[in-house]
Amino acid sequence: METSLPDSPTKTGSLWKGKAKDVTSAQDEFGDLNPIITYRHLLSQNLGVRDPLRVVALCDSDAFYAACEMVRLGVDKDTPLVVLQWDSIIAVNYPARKYGISRMDKKMDALKRCPHLKIVHVATYREGETEPGYWDEVDTNTHKVSLDYYRRESLKIAAMFREMLPGCEVEKASIDEAFIDFTKPVREIILQRYPHLAQPPPDAPFGVETALPPPPPIVWDGKGAVIPVNSPPSEDSSITDGQISSSSDEPGRAEPLDKDVVSTWHDVALSIGAELMTNARDAVHTTLGYSTSAGIARNKFLAKLTASYRKPNGQSILRNASIPNYLRPMPFQKIRFLGGKLGRAFAEEYDAATVGDLLSITLDEMQTKFGESSIWVYEILRGLDRSEVKDKGSTLNKSMLASKNLPKPITNVQEGYRWIRVLAAELALRLNDARNMSPNLWPKTLVLHARKGYESSRSKQAPFPYTREVTVDIIAAAGDKLWKELVGTSTQMNVTNVQLSFTGIDFAEAGQKTIEGFFKPTSKRQRDSAELTDFNTQAEVGQPESSAGDAKEDSATDIIVSHTCTRCKKTLSLNLELSRFKDSEEQKTAIAALIMEHDDWHFAQDLVREEIPIRPIQPSASTSHKKTPKTKKRRKDPVGIERFFDRK
Ligand code: DCP
Ligand code: CA
């Protein structure tokens, strides 16, 4: 979309003026770093990822889990603190990092380095408890880690960004990171501050296609560290997690400015993005107590690389002009997705270590050796990333998973029930958290996975009926049922990982607001879709069809419910003497109990006749996970770049 005009005014202010050779190579290698920005670019509403005024930030919380614990405990900001998960340190606050403590250390080693270190073990679910807690004694054999508190704090931070940054797109990228697209509000602010740009002057030679006049000087002070154009990152920089970070203790310190590099309108846009980012980060700090670090650049990939240039509590800006010297010395294997097999293959193939080493490889050559999709690598090495910042805040999280690796494997059926209860507690808490925002969320399916050693897992699933209150008991009862099915007649097993998950989470519609919705569909079609196949049954109703669709949460007092089992065709009726049931919840529980009881009866019958239609987990490794030919799908061998990624 960018327009190149031969005699554009900004052309004379080229970043690469006087360095003809550099102009060619940098522009070739890194795309158009100084595109001509016209009135049309500024006045267009929606230029998307090709917008030459695009401003994206990545904001990452500093020492996040440790910061959450500091907020919870109200400890002083200078107290060294680490968060422990069993024996391993998973988060280290910055005061503790001064003692040389890192995430890889063991608790005892960390204490040797800093005897007054505050050590907090992450919250855990303890068997029999419905809420996670911080206990004096934790044991991986009986407890399960809970990250719920960190998730909640993370949601608060994202909500504050959304509130503070109207018009920005905010995409939560991980538990402590968010991408923010500032392009839209930045464009509005440019137009407010420089109203003469609202339309091209009457003598503009190309109308809206005329380039904007030269930008005003930019005051970068207080906006963050501007990554230098001409010098590579300073000596004390180190690269962690694919990002260059500096050991500077001066958060927000600006680099000396590159005097000979002319500012562009994109720089103006970056500086405005930086102002907005600073305000939002300050709000998070003062209101919620979390310090963050941000990187601001032309796209997501570069914003992420920039975010850890100054940490903690820092903000860094990568001007387009600084991209070449910032990227060239970077070890490419530190870039996300280039750390594994693929990165090693590139390193070997081209005897290369840095991004600069790979820039001479043509796209053709790369694609011949690594497949068509390696265009992705080709572009990333050049700092090009066209991925959008997408606010998924309003999109529903379709699933929730509670998982436990079992250092002490489950060896008998009873132990399975215990773990299912622990996992059910986590799911109940997470679903109810989500229901605080959207009260009618309905996880339509409950899935139980069990894995033995390194074998692929086996699973069972069943529809999960809508209930207004989803308690640990309800989930555990449904989970127990799946466990029963999964283990079948086995008395011995060796399960090393167990997972319980909700999938197909959706908003329940009016007619499905309670389980009653299952029992009083209005039509055949609705009846067919009102599966309750958890119990291999189909619901039927003795209610006049006309009023059946109007189910309200508490208005089920006059419903007559019956239920036909698809296995034996027996009709189970809940004899509704109205006075027996206080409310619809009780009715619901009663019918569910009736069905479960009936299903249990079938289960017992099957056991006696050994007719259980599922395969038990066998203790023997050689036979247990063989799939029947029917279910076995032949996996296509990976081709091209896919060869370098492990299938999970
Ligand atoms: N985390 C974890 N195990 C890892 C990496 C991270 O449990 N191997 C958790 C703990 C971290 C949180 O995720 O607090 C965020 O991870 P970061 O990599 O962003 O690390 P921090 O936020 O702790 O530190 P930094 O200030 O370097 O971002
Ligand atoms: Ca972080």
Side-chain angles (χ1 to χ4, degrees), residues 389-410:
V389 177
K390 276 204 191 118
D391 189 343
K392 296 173 190 140
S394 52
T395 330
L396 196 57
N397 209 352
K398 291 279 183 195
S399 60
M400 283 175 191
L401 170 78
S403 169
K404 173 71 189 176
N405 286 327
L406 300 155
K408 213 164 102 192
I410 295 174

Side-chain angles (χ1 to χ4, degrees), residues 60-61 176 311:
D60 171 55
S61 299
D176 74 335
K311 242 183 163 310

Side-chain angles (χ1 to χ4, degrees), residues 60-66 85 90-92 94 97 103 175-177 241 311:
D60 171 55
S61 299
D62 301 321
F64 187 54
Y65 291 4
Q85 178 177 312
I90 55 170
V92 185
Y94 282 79
R97 290 186 201 191
R103 199 181 268 152
I175 196 152
D176 74 335
E177 293 171 309
D241 289 336
K311 242 183 163 310

